[in-house]
Amino acid sequence: MAERSDRAPARWRGPLLHWLDGVEAGWAVPLLIACFIAVWTLYLAIAYAGSGLHPDTLEAWTLGRHFAFGYHKHPPLMGWVAASWTSVFPLSDWSLQLMAMVNAGLALVFVDCVARQFVTGHKRILVLLLLMLTPAYQFHAQRFNANSVLLATWPLATWCFLRAFETRGAVWAVAAGCASALAMVGKYYSIFLVASFAFAALAHPARRAYFTSASPWISAVTGLAVLSPHIHWLATTGASTFGYALAHANGNSISSLREVKDFLLGLVAAISVAAIVWVFIAGTRLKQFPADFAAMSSGIRLLFYVAIGTIVLPVLTSLALGTDLPSLWALQGLFLFVVLIVCGARYPVERFYTVNVAVIVSGVALVAVLVAAPIHAVYRNINGYEEGRNLYQQAAGELTRQWRELTSEPLGAVSGDDSLAFATAFYSPDHPHYARPFEYQYDWGMPRKTTLDSGWAALCFQGQDDCGRWMEVVSSRAGAFVRREFTVQASLLGWLGLSRDVVVLMVPPRTQGGTSPEHAAQDISASKRSLDQ
C-alpha cells in the first residue's frame, strides 16, 4: 500500500508531499517548527486562560532579574534565558508561554542538526514528528525551569560533540566544550550527558585517533573556562546549589530500586506512542533490527553509546547514592533514541508513512487546541490548582491595592509562600523583589532590617500551615505591621470559579513620604474582602 501510494498518491496528499520535497531546499523543517511553536503557544494561551504562569516559570523570571553566576537552588541558565527574553518581550503570560515554546522549537532545530548527520530528506521530518508525539516538547516544555531548559542544550551539545569526534577540528572542539558547559549551567544533571560523551568516546573503535588528537583536550579546557565563573560563584557563596542537589540523595537501597523502576517506566511511557507508531511504520522490517544494529555506521554507534550512557549512569548513581530519580529529569534525552531508531534503520521509509504521521501530529494538535484546552480552562477555573495559580493575579492586585492604602511608596520586596511571592513580583505593577528563599525564612525568621525599611510584604494562602506558623512568628517579633486577610476568586471570561483566603503582612517603608510603621500598627485588622473579578 505504501509503495502504491507513493507512486500514485491521493490528491489530498499533494500539499504534504510538496512540503516533504522542501526538506533539502531548506524551508520544510523551519515551517514545521514554526507551526509547532504557534499551535502549542495558542494551546497554552487557551488552556491557561484565567490562570497565572506556572510557579517554575515565575521563579526563573524572578531569579533572572538579578544577574548572577548561580542562584540558591539552581545553576543560572534558566534565569539568564528568562531575563534576556523579557528584556525584549513584554511581561505577560503569552510572552513567557511563547518563550517556553520557542525553547522547545529551538530544541527541535538542534535535534534536526543531529539527525541530518545521518539521514536526508523526509526521514529528518519523521524524527521531529515522532518527537512531537512525546510529552517532552509540549507539556514538559511549558513548565519553563531548570529541567526544560535542557531540551535545547542537550541536542546542541550532542551535535557539537559528534562533529568534534568526527572532524577532530579545533572549531568543533571549542563548540563542544562551550555547549557542554552551557548544559551544565542549565542543571547539574547534565553531568550524565558529559560523562556519556567520555564513555562513548572511550567505547568507540576510533577512540585512539580521537584521544591522540587535540580535540578532547580543547573541549575540556574550553568547558572548564566557560564554567569558571560559576565555579568561582560556588566557591565563594557556600555552594547552596550543591546542597539543594544533595538533598535529593537521602534514600536507601529499597527506595533507590523503586526510583530506578519508576524512572525507566516513566521514560518508556513518555516514548511509547512514538514507539508504537514506529512499529506500524517498520512492520515486518523490524526483523532487520539485529542486522542493522550490527552494521551501524561509526556516527550512529557513537550516538548509541551516548544514549546508553544517559540512562545507565543515572541509574547506577541512584543505586549507589540513594538519590531521587524522576523520569522528567531525563525527558530531554529522548531524542537520542528516536534519532537512533529512525536513522539507524538501513531500509528506506516510504513517504506515505511520513505523511500519515504528519496527519496524526496535526490531528493531535488540533484536538488539543480546540477541545482539550477549553475543557482544561473550565475545569481549572472550577477546581483550581494545588499551588493556586489561577488566583495569582487577583492576590497580587489586591495586595498592591491595600499596600497603596498605607503608603504612596511602591512595594519594594515580597516574601511568604514561594509561589505567591513569585507571582506578586511578576503580576504586581510595583514588581517588588523576591526577598529570600521561603525555605530559609523558617530558620532566619524576620527579613533583614534594610528590607523592612524599604517596604516589605508577605502573603500565604489560608490553610498553609508552615507558612502560617512562620507568619505568626514574624508577627510576634515585628515592632509594627499590618496584618490582613482577604478573599480572592478565580474568573474565566467573567465566569466566577473557586475562591481562597489569603493572609498578608505589610510593613510600610520608613520614608518621609510613606506611612510609618507606628501609624500602620494602628491599622492592624483582619478585614475580609471578596474579589469577584
Side-chain angles (χ1 to χ4, degrees):
M1 179 188 294
E3 294 179 358
R4 185 169 63 251
S5 177
D6 278 1
R7 288 195 303 268
R11 181 175 299 178
W12 66 268
R13 291 177 175 270
L16 292 174
L17 292 171
H18 176 66
W19 165 59
L20 295 182
D21 290 337
V23 173
E24 297 306 316
W27 60 268
V29 170
L31 178 61
L32 172 64
I33 295 175
C35 291
F36 170 84
I37 293 172
V39 169
W40 286 101
T41 301
L42 180 60
Y43 167 84
L44 295 180
I46 297 173
Y48 296 97
S51 302
L53 293 167
H54 192 279
D56 288 358
T57 305
L58 294 171
E59 180 184 25
W61 174 81
T62 301
L63 297 178
R65 297 176 70 186
H66 167 65
F67 178 82
F69 287 109
Y71 299 108
H72 69 279
K73 283 169 56 178
H74 298 297
L77 183 59
M78 69 175 187
W80 292 350
V81 172
S84 300
W85 182 270
T86 53
S87 68
V88 177
F89 293 90
L91 288 180
S92 64
D93 286 1
W94 71 262
S95 172
L96 271 74
Q97 289 165 346
L98 177 61
M99 176 190 73
M101 297 318 301
V102 167
N103 176 62
L106 191 61
L108 294 172
V109 169
F110 293 136
V111 169
D112 181 62
C113 290
V114 174
R116 68 193 301 180
Q117 301 296 307
F118 311 111
V119 294
T120 59
H122 69 99
K123 264 194 172 183
R124 288 170 50 193
I125 292 284
L126 187 56
V127 169
L128 302 183
L129 292 173
L130 289 174
L131 285 174
M132 290 177 187
L133 292 175
T134 71
Y137 298 88
Q138 304 92 349
F139 307 110
H140 176 60
Q142 66 93 14
R143 182 188 294 189
F144 186 81
N145 56 19
N147 294 310
S148 58
V149 79
L150 300 185
L151 285 171
T153 57
W154 272 40
L156 172 62
T158 301
W159 176 45
C160 293
F161 167 71
L162 293 176
R163 297 293 292 142
F165 189 92
E166 178 186 359
T167 66
R168 295 187 280 280
V171 173
W172 282 110
V174 169
C178 290
S180 298
L182 191 66
M184 285 296 296
V185 295
K187 188 173 182 178
Y188 297 145
Y189 187 87
S190 296
I191 190 63
F192 294 123
L193 178 67
V194 177
S196 296
F197 292 162
F199 165 72
L202 287 169
H204 197 275
R207 55 186 171 271
R208 178 180 294 275
Y210 178 65
F211 283 107
T212 55
S213 73
S215 181
W217 318 114
I218 291 175
S219 295
V221 170
T222 302
L224 287 173
V226 174
L227 277 176
S228 59
H230 180 64
I231 295 172
H232 178 265
W233 179 87
L234 288 171
T236 55
T237 60
S240 59
T241 50
F242 273 9
Y244 180 77
L246 291 175
H248 292 282
N250 54 6
N252 52 45
S253 57
I254 296 177
S255 65
S256 296
L257 287 172
R258 189 183 306 115
E259 288 287 336
V260 167
K261 178 199 70 174
D262 292 344
F263 173 77
L264 296 175
L265 289 177
L267 292 180
V268 169
I271 205 170
S272 60
V273 174
I276 292 171
V277 170
W278 176 254
V279 168
F280 278 105
I281 292 173
T284 58
R285 292 175 293 192
L286 285 174
K287 297 177 182 179
Q288 296 181 220
F289 178 78
D292 288 347
F293 182 83
M296 67 174 64
S297 66
S298 173
I300 289 291
R301 185 176 299 277
L302 185 65
L303 192 69
F304 168 75
Y305 291 137
V306 173
I308 293 301
T310 60
I311 300 299
V312 172
L313 294 178
V315 165
L316 293 178
T317 301
S318 180
L319 293 174
L321 302 180
T323 61
D324 297 340
L325 196 60
S327 57
L328 64 86
W329 287 359
L331 290 183
Q332 69 279 351
L334 291 179
F335 80 94
L336 292 164
F337 297 92
V338 174
V339 172
L340 276 173
I341 293 300
V342 177
C343 300
R346 299 174 65 84
Y347 48 82
V349 175
E350 294 81 2
R351 300 204 301 173
F352 167 83
Y353 293 113
T354 305
V355 169
N356 287 352
V357 178
V359 172
I360 293 172
V361 170
S362 300
V364 169
L366 287 176
V367 170
V369 170
L370 300 177
V371 179
I375 291 174
H376 180 272
V378 171
Y379 175 83
R380 288 302 187 180
N381 187 60
I382 299 171
N383 296 280
Y385 301 82
E386 181 180 357
E387 68 272 15
R389 61 190 282 190
N390 51 344
L391 301 168
Y392 286 168
Q393 297 184 50
Q394 294 91 324
E398 177 63 8
L399 172 60
T400 304
R401 190 192 67 78
Q402 295 202 20
W403 176 265
R404 290 178 178 174
E405 289 181 353
L406 300 178
T407 176
S408 60
E409 297 293 323
L411 177 59
V414 64
S415 302
D417 172 67
D418 268 351
S419 298
L420 277 174
F422 294 147
T424 302
F426 186 83
Y427 290 112
S428 170
D430 291 343
H431 297 302
H433 285 278
Y434 172 68
R436 295 185 176 183
F438 183 48
E439 60 181 300
Y440 298 131
Q441 289 174 350
Y442 299 133
D443 300 326
W444 293 352
M446 289 289 294
R448 296 183 181 92
K449 183 178 182 298
T450 54
T451 300
L452 294 176
D453 289 347
S454 300
W456 171 85
L459 66 173
C460 310
F461 282 118
Q462 189 72 262
Q464 291 180 318
D465 294 337
D466 287 343
C467 188
R469 283 192 294 268
W470 168 79
M471 191 172 281
E472 291 294 335
V473 172
V474 173
S475 300
S476 67
R477 297 178 183 177
F481 61 92
V482 176
R483 179 188 173 101
R484 290 181 178 169
E485 295 181 19
F486 53 79
T487 301
V488 289
Q489 188 166 23
S491 176
L492 176 64
L493 302 177
W495 183 17
L496 298 180
L498 87 162
S499 60
R500 291 180 70 175
D501 294 336
V502 178
V503 182
V504 300
L505 283 180
M506 295 180 285
V507 178
R510 292 181 179 272
T511 61
Q512 194 169 12
T515 303
S516 69
E518 289 74 15
H519 288 117
Q522 300 173 8
D523 192 24
I524 299 175
S525 62
S527 59
K528 286 280 187 176
R529 300 180 184 273
S530 180
L531 302 181
D532 296 338
Q533 299 177 9

